[in-house]
Amino acid sequence: MFVAMIAASVIAKVFGVFDTILAVDSTHICSAIYLLFIFFTARCGYFLWNHKKHNPRTIDNVVDWGYVWANIFSGLGLIGTVIGLIAVMKSGFENIDVENQQTVKTAISNIGVGTGIALYTTLVGLICNILLKIQYGLLEKHYANVDETIATAPASKSVTDLLAEASAALLTEASAAHFDVKPATTTTTTKKKKKKKKKKKKKPLRAGEVVE
């Protein structure tokens, strides 16, 4: 968008649009509006280009100020309109003599200057207002999409989480191996004990029997 603004400015300069506006606008309100517009366009491009370095709260603040300055451009255009109308009323119809053609020509010239100030400042203010709101609207939409992708994306695991999972897996494997071996050893030991008990059992002696 910033590149498109620069290209449009170059085209306007080539076709003499800037020269015409500067020649008519004696208040220099159009120049002030355009310079502020270039500054906030560059600012929007900077935050759009370096979107990974800024948090959403900063971007919301930048977007809000962009909308505020867009409305200020319209206000400056209306101020220029009022100044132009005052110039028309003051210098256009003051000291006019209908019978004197020179005074009539001067009055018409002054009316043209005042009307040009009123119309050009309003036009420049409205155009810069619309274009700046479009740019900061795109910036806001871009960061809204980035926040949505971050919110829906799975959270990346840290090194400590991976180590904890690995240690937990090792513990579970060790405990499973321990409990698988232990029952076998216990059964063999119990069998040996039963055999020993069977060997130790002797028949009770009866009366008259001799122990061998």
Side-chain angles (χ1 to χ4, degrees), residues 17-38 73 76-81 83 115-128:
V17 177
F18 288 157
D19 296 332
T20 304
I21 293 173
L22 291 174
V24 174
D25 183 19
S26 59
T27 60
H28 302 290
I29 292 176
C30 293
S31 301
I33 292 173
Y34 183 72
L35 290 175
L36 289 170
F37 172 75
I38 291 296
F73 294 159
L76 290 174
L78 292 175
I79 290 172
T81 303
I83 293 173
T115 306
I117 293 172
L119 294 178
Y120 277 121
T121 52
T122 304
L123 180 65
V124 171
L126 289 176
I127 290 174
C128 291

Side-chain angles (χ1 to χ4, degrees), residues 7-212:
S9 300
V10 172
I11 293 170
K13 179 66 177 177
V14 170
F15 285 96
V17 177
F18 288 157
D19 296 332
T20 304
I21 293 173
L22 291 174
V24 174
D25 183 19
S26 59
T27 60
H28 302 290
I29 292 176
C30 293
S31 301
I33 292 173
Y34 183 72
L35 290 175
L36 289 170
F37 172 75
I38 291 296
F39 171 76
F40 283 100
T41 299
R43 193 165 185 255
C44 179
Y46 167 76
F47 281 100
L48 189 62
W49 184 264
N50 298 318
H51 62 276
K52 295 181 179 180
K53 297 181 180 179
H54 305 283
N55 54 19
R57 185 176 296 176
T58 304
I59 299 305
D60 291 338
N61 190 15
V62 170
V63 170
D64 291 339
W65 276 107
Y67 287 137
V68 168
W69 277 100
N71 294 326
I72 289 173
F73 294 159
S74 297
L76 290 174
L78 292 175
I79 290 172
T81 303
V82 173
I83 293 173
L85 293 176
I86 291 172
V88 168
M89 296 300 294
K90 184 178 180 180
S91 60
F93 298 100
E94 190 178 17
N95 299 323
I96 186 172
D97 188 4
V98 180
E99 296 179 357
N100 190 352
Q101 294 182 356
Q102 187 64 34
T103 58
V104 173
K105 290 180 181 180
T106 304
I108 293 172
S109 177
N110 293 331
I111 290 170
V113 171
T115 306
I117 293 172
L119 294 178
Y120 277 121
T121 52
T122 304
L123 180 65
V124 171
L126 289 176
I127 290 174
C128 291
N129 181 347
I130 293 169
L131 293 177
L132 197 67
K133 282 185 177 180
I134 290 172
Q135 293 179 72
Y136 280 90
L138 293 174
L139 177 64
E140 186 178 15
K141 184 178 179 181
H142 175 74
Y143 271 92
N145 293 332
V146 170
D147 292 338
E148 186 177 356
T149 53
I150 291 173
T152 55
S156 59
K157 295 180 180 180
S158 61
V159 177
T160 55
D161 295 334
L162 294 173
L163 290 174
E165 289 182 358
S167 61
L170 290 173
L171 288 173
T172 51
E173 289 178 0
S175 60
H178 176 71
F179 285 114
D180 287 340
V181 174
K182 193 173 181 180
T185 55
T186 51
T187 51
T188 52
T189 51
T190 49
K191 285 179 179 179
K192 288 179 180 180
K193 288 180 180 180
K194 286 181 179 179
K195 287 180 180 180
K196 288 179 180 180
K197 287 181 180 180
K198 285 181 180 180
K199 288 180 180 180
K200 287 181 180 179
K201 283 183 179 180
K202 293 181 179 181
K203 293 181 180 180
L205 295 173
R206 293 179 182 179
E209 290 182 352
V210 180
V211 179
E212 295 178 356

